[in-house]
Amino acid sequence: MALRGIRFCKDCANILYAREQYDNEGSNRNLIYSCRICEYTEKATKAEDYLVYHRQVRRLAEHVATDYKDYPLDPTLSRSVNVSCPRCDHREAVLFHSEKEGGESGMRMTYVCTYRGEDGACGYSWQS
């Protein structure tokens, strides 16, 4: 019985763990799968048996557009009345720290305008 990437003991149905086994001389190493409960072992024979761990690394997009429209409604975020929105000149914004783009080290301050009027919410965001 085998699921994709997971092997199970044929005797007691527990998971088999990959480990090295040395020959009598200690010069050759073999990959075996062994049960920690009943001492069952099986040797890795096929090419796919030698894959013990597969790590997929995804490249992140350079800039991920974030929708900050609900941030002004979050009561846990800090608020500042000492800033002016570049779009509507409203004098209040929520602020939070976020990582810099492009792999730069450090943090940046992100502001989101809190203006909500009859014509809708501004929600404009900017960084400093």
Side-chain angles (χ1 to χ4, degrees):
M1 172 181 185
L3 293 175
R4 186 177 176 107
I6 301 175
R7 296 175 159 269
F8 294 95
C9 178
K10 293 185 183 351
D11 294 338
C12 66
N14 284 298
I15 293 177
L16 295 178
Y17 294 90
R19 65 181 180 98
E20 290 179 311
Q21 182 182 47
Y22 295 93
D23 64 2
N24 293 340
E25 300 159 2
S27 58
N28 287 337
R29 299 179 303 169
N30 293 314
L31 178 66
I32 62 167
Y33 291 92
S34 63
C35 179
R36 293 182 180 171
I37 306 300
C38 72
E39 302 302 320
Y40 171 82
T41 61
E42 63 182 53
K43 188 175 180 180
T45 55
K46 298 181 283 186
E48 63 265 12
D49 291 344
Y50 287 98
L51 179 64
V52 176
Y53 181 75
H54 180 81
R55 181 176 182 186
Q56 278 187 313
V57 178
R58 292 185 223 156
R59 185 167 180 218
L60 295 175
E62 290 297 320
H63 176 69
V64 177
T66 305
D67 186 12
Y68 296 116
K69 67 176 180 154
D70 293 330
Y71 280 47
L73 301 175
D74 188 346
T76 63
L77 291 175
S78 298
R79 295 181 180 273
S80 176
V81 292
N82 298 327
V83 295
S84 179
C85 174
R87 181 186 287 167
C88 69
D89 288 327
H90 185 65
R91 306 261 330 142
E92 183 181 6
V94 294
L95 57 124
F96 55 94
H97 286 98
S98 58
E99 292 182 9
K100 290 186 176 181
E101 296 174 0
E104 295 178 44
S105 62
M107 301 291 280
R108 67 175 180 210
M109 187 67 74
T110 302
Y111 297 89
V112 181
C113 180
T114 59
Y115 177 74
R116 290 181 114 54
E118 295 174 6
D119 54 341
C122 175
Y124 183 73
S125 63
W126 69 97
Q127 284 88 27
S128 66

